[in-house]
Coordinates of all heavy atoms in Angstrom, one line a residue:
A124 N -4.0 -7.0 11.9 CA -5.4 -7.2 11.8 C -5.8 -8.0 10.6 O -6.9 -8.6 10.6 CB -6.1 -5.8 11.7
I125 N -4.9 -8.1 9.5 CA -5.4 -8.9 8.4 C -4.7 -10.2 8.3 O -4.7 -10.9 7.2 CB -5.2 -8.1 7.0 CG1 -3.8 -7.7 6.8 CG2 -6.2 -6.9 7.0 CD1 -3.7 -7.0 5.4
G126 N -4.2 -10.7 9.4 CA -3.6 -12.1 9.4 C -2.3 -12.1 10.1 O -1.8 -11.2 10.7
N127 N -1.7 -13.3 9.9 CA -0.5 -13.7 10.6 C 0.7 -12.9 10.1 O 1.6 -12.5 10.8 CB -0.4 -15.2 10.4 CG 0.7 -15.8 11.2 OD1 1.2 -15.2 12.1 ND2 1.1 -17.0 10.8
R128 N 0.8 -12.8 8.8 CA 1.9 -12.1 8.1 C 3.3 -12.3 8.6 O 4.0 -11.5 9.2 CB 1.6 -10.6 8.1 CG 0.3 -10.2 7.4 CD 0.0 -8.8 7.3 NE 0.6 -8.2 6.2 CZ 0.3 -6.9 5.8 NH1 -0.5 -6.2 6.5 NH2 0.9 -6.4 4.7
P129 N 3.8 -13.5 8.3 CA 5.2 -13.9 8.7 C 6.3 -13.1 7.9 O 5.9 -12.5 6.9 CB 5.3 -15.4 8.5 CG 4.3 -15.7 7.4 CD 3.2 -14.6 7.6
I130 N 7.5 -13.2 8.3 CA 8.6 -12.6 7.5 C 9.7 -13.6 7.1 O 10.8 -13.3 6.8 CB 9.3 -11.4 8.2 CG1 9.9 -11.8 9.6 CG2 8.3 -10.2 8.4 CD1 10.9 -10.9 10.1
D131 N 9.3 -14.9 7.2 CA 10.2 -16.0 6.9 C 10.9 -15.8 5.5 O 12.1 -16.1 5.3 CB 9.6 -17.4 7.0 CG 8.3 -17.5 6.1 OD1 7.5 -16.5 6.1 OD2 8.2 -18.5 5.5
L132 N 10.1 -15.3 4.5 CA 10.7 -15.2 3.1 C 11.7 -14.1 3.0 O 12.7 -14.2 2.3 CB 9.5 -15.0 2.1 CG 8.4 -16.1 2.1 CD1 7.3 -15.7 1.2 CD2 9.0 -17.4 1.7
H133 N 11.5 -13.0 3.8 CA 12.5 -11.9 3.9 C 13.8 -12.5 4.4 O 14.9 -12.3 3.8 CB 12.0 -10.8 4.8 CG 10.7 -10.2 4.5 ND1 10.7 -8.8 4.3 CD2 9.5 -10.6 4.4 CE1 9.4 -8.5 4.0 NE2 8.7 -9.5 4.1
L134 N 13.7 -13.3 5.4 CA 14.9 -13.8 6.1 C 15.6 -14.8 5.2 O 16.8 -14.8 5.0 CB 14.6 -14.4 7.4 CG 13.8 -13.5 8.4 CD1 13.6 -14.2 9.8 CD2 14.6 -12.2 8.6
K135 N 14.8 -15.7 4.5 CA 15.4 -16.7 3.6 C 16.2 -16.0 2.5 O 17.3 -16.4 2.0 CB 14.4 -17.6 3.0 CG 13.8 -18.6 4.0 CD 13.5 -19.9 3.4 CE 13.2 -20.9 4.5 NZ 11.9 -20.7 5.2
A136 N 15.6 -14.9 2.0 CA 16.3 -14.1 0.9 C 17.7 -13.6 1.4 O 18.7 -13.7 0.7 CB 15.4 -13.0 0.5
L137 N 17.7 -13.0 2.6 CA 18.9 -12.5 3.1 C 19.9 -13.6 3.3 O 21.1 -13.4 3.1 CB 18.7 -11.7 4.4 CG 17.7 -10.5 4.2 CD1 17.7 -9.7 5.5 CD2 18.0 -9.6 3.0
E138 N 19.5 -14.7 3.8 CA 20.4 -15.9 4.0 C 21.0 -16.4 2.7 O 22.2 -16.7 2.7 CB 19.6 -17.0 4.7 CG 19.5 -16.9 6.2 CD 18.7 -18.0 6.9 OE1 17.8 -18.6 6.2 OE2 18.9 -18.2 8.1
A139 N 20.2 -16.3 1.6 CA 20.7 -16.7 0.3 C 21.8 -15.8 -0.1 O 22.7 -16.2 -1.0 CB 19.6 -16.7 -0.7
L140 N 21.9 -14.6 0.4 CA 23.0 -13.7 0.1 C 24.2 -13.8 1.1 O 25.1 -13.0 1.1 CB 22.5 -12.3 0.0 CG 21.3 -12.1 -1.0 CD1 20.9 -10.6 -1.1 CD2 21.7 -12.6 -2.4
G141 N 24.1 -14.8 2.0 CA 25.2 -15.0 2.9 C 25.0 -14.5 4.3 O 25.8 -14.7 5.2
A142 N 23.8 -13.8 4.6 CA 23.6 -13.2 5.9 C 23.4 -14.3 7.0 O 22.8 -15.3 6.6 CB 22.4 -12.3 5.9
E143 N 23.8 -14.0 8.2 CA 23.5 -14.9 9.3 C 22.3 -14.3 10.0 O 22.4 -13.1 10.3 CB 24.7 -15.1 10.2 CG 25.6 -16.1 9.6 CD 26.7 -16.5 10.6 OE1 26.5 -16.3 11.8 OE2 27.7 -17.0 10.1
I144 N 21.3 -15.1 10.3 CA 20.1 -14.5 10.9 C 20.0 -15.1 12.3 O 20.1 -16.3 12.5 CB 18.9 -14.9 10.1 CG1 19.0 -14.5 8.6 CG2 17.6 -14.3 10.7 CD1 18.8 -13.1 8.3
E145 N 19.7 -14.3 13.3 CA 19.4 -14.7 14.6 C 18.1 -14.1 15.1 O 17.9 -12.9 14.9 CB 20.6 -14.2 15.5 CG 21.0 -15.0 16.7 CD 22.0 -14.2 17.5 OE1 23.1 -13.8 16.8 OE2 21.8 -13.9 18.6
L146 N 17.3 -14.9 15.8 CA 16.1 -14.3 16.4 C 16.2 -14.4 17.9 O 16.3 -15.5 18.5 CB 14.9 -15.2 15.9 CG 14.6 -15.2 14.4 CD1 13.4 -16.2 14.2 CD2 14.3 -13.9 13.9
T147 N 16.2 -13.2 18.5 CA 16.2 -13.2 20.0 C 15.3 -12.1 20.5 O 15.3 -11.0 20.0 CB 17.6 -12.9 20.6 OG1 18.2 -11.9 19.8 CG2 18.4 -14.2 20.7
A148 N 14.6 -12.4 21.6 CA 13.9 -11.4 22.4 C 13.0 -10.5 21.5 O 12.9 -9.3 21.6 CB 14.8 -10.5 23.2
G149 N 12.3 -11.1 20.5 CA 11.4 -10.4 19.7 C 12.1 -9.6 18.5 O 11.4 -8.8 17.9
Y150 N 13.4 -9.8 18.4 CA 14.1 -9.0 17.4 C 14.7 -10.0 16.4 O 15.1 -11.1 16.8 CB 15.2 -8.2 18.0 CG 14.7 -6.8 18.5 CD1 14.0 -6.8 19.7 CD2 14.8 -5.7 17.8 CE1 13.5 -5.6 20.2 CE2 14.3 -4.5 18.3 CZ 13.7 -4.4 19.5 OH 13.2 -3.2 20.0
V151 N 14.9 -9.6 15.1 CA 15.7 -10.3 14.2 C 17.0 -9.5 13.9 O 17.0 -8.3 13.7 CB 14.9 -10.6 12.9 CG1 14.3 -9.4 12.3 CG2 15.8 -11.2 11.8
R152 N 18.1 -10.3 14.0 CA 19.4 -9.6 13.8 C 20.0 -10.3 12.6 O 20.1 -11.6 12.5 CB 20.3 -9.8 15.0 CG 21.6 -9.1 14.9 CD 22.3 -9.1 16.2 NE 23.8 -9.0 16.0 CZ 24.4 -7.9 15.7 NH1 23.7 -6.8 15.4 NH2 25.7 -7.9 15.5
A153 N 20.4 -9.5 11.6 CA 21.0 -10.1 10.4 C 22.5 -9.5 10.3 O 22.7 -8.3 10.5 CB 20.2 -9.7 9.2
V154 N 23.4 -10.4 10.1 CA 24.8 -9.9 10.0 C 25.4 -10.5 8.7 O 25.2 -11.6 8.3 CB 25.6 -10.5 11.2 CG1 27.1 -10.0 11.2 CG2 25.0 -10.0 12.5
A155 N 26.2 -9.6 8.0 CA 26.8 -10.0 6.8 C 28.1 -10.8 7.1 O 28.7 -10.6 8.2 CB 27.2 -8.8 6.0
P156 N 28.5 -11.8 6.3 CA 29.7 -12.6 6.6 C 30.9 -11.8 6.4 O 30.9 -10.7 5.8 CB 29.6 -13.7 5.5 CG 28.8 -13.1 4.4 CD 27.9 -12.1 5.0
K157 N 32.1 -12.3 6.9 CA 33.3 -11.6 6.6 C 33.5 -11.5 5.1 O 33.2 -12.5 4.4 CB 34.5 -12.5 7.2 CG 34.7 -12.2 8.7 CD 36.1 -12.6 9.1 CE 36.2 -12.5 10.6 NZ 35.8 -13.7 11.3

Side-chain angles (χ1 to χ4, degrees):
I125 60 173
N127 186 18
R128 297 184 89 171
I130 58 158
D131 55 317
L132 302 174
H133 298 240
L134 304 185
K135 287 214 170 71
L137 303 189
E138 276 176 337
L140 304 182
E143 279 189 23
I144 308 282
E145 207 186 308
L146 297 176
T147 41
Y150 278 78
V151 51
R152 181 168 157 76
V154 181
K157 278 201 187 86

